[in-house]
Amino acid sequence: CEVCHGKRYNRETLEVRFKGKSIADVLDMTVNMAVEFFENVPQILPKIKALQDVGLGYIKLGQSSTTLSGGESQRVKLATELAKRDTGKTLYILDEPTTGLHFEDIRILMGVLEKLVDRGNTVLIIEHNLDVIKLADYIIDIGPDAGRYGGEVVYAGPASEITKETPGYTAAYLTGRETIPLPSVRRPWNSYIEVEGATMHNLKDLTVRFPLHTLTVVSGVSGSGKSTLMRELFYEGVSRLLNKEPMDNLELRGISGDLSAISQIEYVDQNNIGRSSRSNPVTYVGAFDTIRELYAGLPLSKQMGFKPYYFSFNKEGGRCETCQGAGVITIEMQFMADITLPCEACRGLRFRKELLEAEYCGVNISQLLDMSVDEAVEFFEANSASSKLTAKIIDQLRPLQRVGLGYIKLGQSGSTLSGGENQRVKLAYYLGKGKKLPTLFIFDEPTTGLHFHDIRTLLDALQALIDQGHSVIVVEHNLEVIQAADWVIDMGPEGGKAGGYI
């Protein structure tokens, strides 16, 4: 803004100062700086100190909440609770609070939670991180696997009583019965892409090389500059060079190296796989096209004139028009939360009644989409002799199994998938394409929400991409992924102003 120069306040307000600082100056401080600034102001200090106590000393007081990661947002809420007058009778339930945290930040967070317990509160954490699980007084382990193979209590008891005989993957990795093996060979490299003179945000004039055709991990504490370097400079800069676009407004001197070794770059984040509530995993990996072709080829479909698009949610023809293929009706309640009810016309089946009469081996399209990936693969393997298309469908679904998503349903709405699941669906899509144009993939914290056993599966999938001739860079805190890397770029040493170094 040309009037306030980005300070957001009018001139009169900015003239009001405390210790020589305006309100805009204070909001531009990091939490660590503000703790020192308000050292003798008891009305303010405890609330800001609570942010520091949960490891958020590097964020700015006026930072937009939309720029915070999920883990950071959760810790802001936790700091709000810590700053309240504690009664010692509160039950706190935290859903994966270590998301996006470096192990040093996890240590700080656990210290805060232990203080809450010491005051007489109860803390219940939904978590995969083994270091957190080891600190628990009591463990409830759910499993043994995911989807239809889960839903049971595998173990409930003190952490100290878990032995190598205790069932379940959690006990297996806690006791060393199972481990994530280190690679037998580290890939050498000679081709690379180099970023020169990166100075954006807290980056300290960095020059760093990123190897190609390897598994490279970019690690570091929260706020160390990983996202700035990888998303805002490296990905954006390489994309522009590949597309022959100008490098204006990028805070670096240049990008050089063996750009001819890659044809494209992909940033694989945790955003939803589709914009519509009707988007689903089976569409994203391309299997739904083949499934629609299979059902359109049935004798009844040919007799009734059902074309492949009739078996789609997104086009008029076979879908239920009352709910437009959503299976539910959403009633807007203005000042209250919207209410979602099953569609009365199709009873949640999403298709017209006459279309559901078309069955492949006794299963209609709605029943098929309600199957998990594992169930669907078993179903088509058992009936593969009757259609040439089924082998293609199996091949298209296999990558979802390879990335550990065999438990999700074929027609599951993309909006119900977690960030980590969205990311793995995208990984499955790329695995399913086979060796196409050599691509440089950047994965942003792909272990989010993953159990150790799932991380093992994920690493196998990432290695498979490299074996197909691609290059993989992973922005990650997880030690198992870091140990599996061919090359590590560690940023820090701290977050905020104290970060930005290699």
Side-chain angles (χ1 to χ4, degrees):
C1 174
E2 293 181 0
V3 177
C4 71
H5 305 290
K7 294 189 176 180
R8 305 166 77 171
Y9 291 94
N10 62 32
R11 187 169 53 84
E12 291 80 6
T13 302
L14 293 175
E15 286 175 356
V16 179
R17 295 176 178 269
F18 173 71
K19 287 188 180 180
K21 301 289 186 183
S22 70
I23 183 71
D25 294 331
V26 169
L27 291 178
D28 198 44
M29 291 180 181
T30 64
V31 169
N32 287 337
M33 294 164 62
V35 167
E36 291 183 23
F37 184 72
F38 290 110
E39 188 176 9
N40 298 314
V41 187
Q43 304 95 322
I44 297 174
L45 182 63
K47 295 180 180 181
I48 298 178
K49 187 72 168 62
L51 287 167
Q52 189 181 55
D53 289 343
V54 296
L56 293 176
Y58 59 90
I59 66 171
K60 290 187 176 181
L61 297 190
Q63 189 170 329
S64 169
S65 60
T66 58
T67 66
L68 299 176
S69 69
E72 287 171 334
S73 296
Q74 197 171 38
R75 282 184 286 159
V76 169
K77 294 176 185 175
L78 179 59
T80 305
E81 292 297 323
L82 288 172
K84 292 179 181 177
R85 188 179 296 277
D86 190 4
T87 62
K89 295 181 180 179
T90 304
L91 167 61
Y92 294 95
I93 303 175
L94 288 84
D95 191 357
E96 298 189 25
T98 65
T99 297
L101 291 193
H102 189 273
F103 30 91
E104 174 63 16
D105 300 313
I106 292 173
R107 185 185 64 79
I108 295 170
L109 176 65
M110 293 311 296
V112 171
L113 297 179
E114 286 174 342
K115 285 180 184 176
L116 281 176
V117 176
D118 292 340
R119 293 181 196 168
N121 300 295
T122 302
V123 176
L124 193 153
I125 306 177
I126 302 165
E127 188 56 76
H128 299 287
N129 186 286
L130 280 189
D131 292 324
V132 175
I133 295 171
K134 288 174 183 176
L135 291 173
D137 300 304
Y138 195 85
I139 293 174
I140 300 170
D141 191 36
I142 308 290
D145 282 288
R148 62 178 173 142
Y149 304 111
E152 300 175 17
V153 175
V154 178
Y155 174 81
S160 58
E161 294 182 10
I162 290 179
T163 66
K164 290 193 174 183
E165 285 70 44
T166 304
Y169 290 124
T170 301
Y173 285 96
L174 277 174
T175 60
R177 191 170 75 229
E178 285 200 37
T179 59
I180 298 176
L182 292 175
S184 56
V185 177
R186 307 286 182 173
R187 295 180 181 88
W189 57 275
N190 47 31
S191 58
Y192 59 87
I193 295 175
E194 183 174 78
V195 171
E196 302 171 46
T199 56
M200 191 174 193
H201 299 325
N202 69 338
L203 299 183
K204 308 296 195 297
D205 194 20
L206 298 184
T207 295
V208 56
R209 290 181 176 180
F210 295 89
L212 298 177
H213 308 115
T214 63
L215 176 59
T216 299
V217 171
V218 179
S219 59
V221 297
S222 300
S224 59
K226 302 186 301 298
S227 297
T228 300
L229 176 63
M230 298 310 302
R231 180 77 195 239
E232 299 184 55
L233 294 180
F234 183 77
Y235 170 70
E236 182 64 28
V238 173
S239 297
R240 291 190 194 182
L241 287 173
L242 292 175
N243 295 322
K244 296 180 169 56
E245 297 173 355
M247 300 284 282
D248 301 344
N249 304 319
L250 287 182
E251 297 177 37
L252 44 74
R253 283 196 298 277
I255 293 177
S256 60
D258 194 5
L259 285 158
S260 61
I262 61 170
S263 297
Q264 56 193 28
I265 185 169
E266 298 283 352
Y267 196 95
V268 188
D269 57 22
Q270 299 183 3
N271 293 337
N272 284 350
I273 56 175
R275 298 175 184 174
S276 165
S277 61
R278 292 186 292 273
S279 62
N280 52 52
V282 74
T283 300
Y284 197 87
V285 298
F288 204 8
D289 291 339
T290 317
I291 289 171
R292 288 196 292 266
E293 189 180 346
L294 176 70
Y295 273 83
L298 296 172
L300 179 62
S301 296
K302 291 180 179 179
Q303 180 185 340
M304 300 295 292
F306 296 155
K307 305 297 182 186
Y309 73 84
Y310 275 52
F311 296 90
S312 169
F313 307 133
N314 297 314
K315 295 182 180 178
E316 294 183 19
R319 73 179 184 182
C320 171
E321 286 306 317
T322 303
C323 63
Q324 295 189 321
V328 295
I329 301 292
T330 301
I331 303 171
E332 294 184 7
M333 299 298 289
Q334 294 186 351
F335 300 111
M336 294 186 292
D338 293 345
I339 295 176
T340 302
L341 300 172
C343 174
E344 292 185 2
C346 68
R347 294 169 310 185
L349 299 179
R350 308 171 79 170
F351 293 95
R352 287 166 33 202
K353 183 180 178 182
E354 49 270 36
L355 196 85
L356 296 177
E357 293 175 1
E359 296 183 347
Y360 175 75
C361 297
V363 173
N364 64 37
I365 187 69
S366 180
Q367 291 168 329
L368 179 68
L369 292 174
D370 198 45
M371 289 184 184
S372 68
V373 172
D374 288 337
E375 289 173 318
V377 169
E378 290 175 12
F379 170 71
F380 284 118
E381 283 180 335
N383 299 287
S384 59
S386 57
S387 172
K388 293 179 181 179
L389 289 174
T390 53
K392 184 178 180 181
I393 295 170
I394 292 170
D395 287 342
Q396 291 170 320
L397 294 179
R398 287 277 189 218
L400 288 169
Q401 290 182 310
R402 287 184 69 183
V403 298
L405 292 177
Y407 61 90
I408 63 174
K409 292 185 177 181
L410 298 191
Q412 188 170 333
S413 171
S415 62
T416 67
L417 299 175
S418 69
E421 287 171 334
N422 276 300
Q423 202 169 31
R424 282 185 287 161
V425 171
K426 295 173 187 177
L427 174 56
Y429 165 75
Y430 292 118
L431 283 172
K433 291 173 70 174
K435 186 174 181 180
K436 300 291 183 182
L437 296 173
T439 302
L440 173 55
F441 291 98
I442 302 172
F443 288 88
D444 192 355
E445 298 189 16
T447 65
T448 298
L450 295 194
H451 189 276
F452 256 57
H453 196 65
D454 302 314
I455 292 172
R456 185 173 182 170
T457 303
L458 172 71
L459 281 170
D460 290 341
L462 293 176
Q463 300 286 8
L465 273 182
I466 302 169
D467 291 340
Q468 290 178 0
H470 304 300
S471 304
V472 175
I473 301 174
V474 181
V475 182
E476 189 56 76
H477 299 286
N478 183 276
L479 278 178
E480 277 60 43
V481 176
I482 297 171
Q483 288 182 153
D486 302 306
W487 192 254
V488 176
I489 298 169
D490 190 42
M491 299 190 66
E494 304 293 339
K497 286 191 174 182
Y501 295 97
I502 300 295

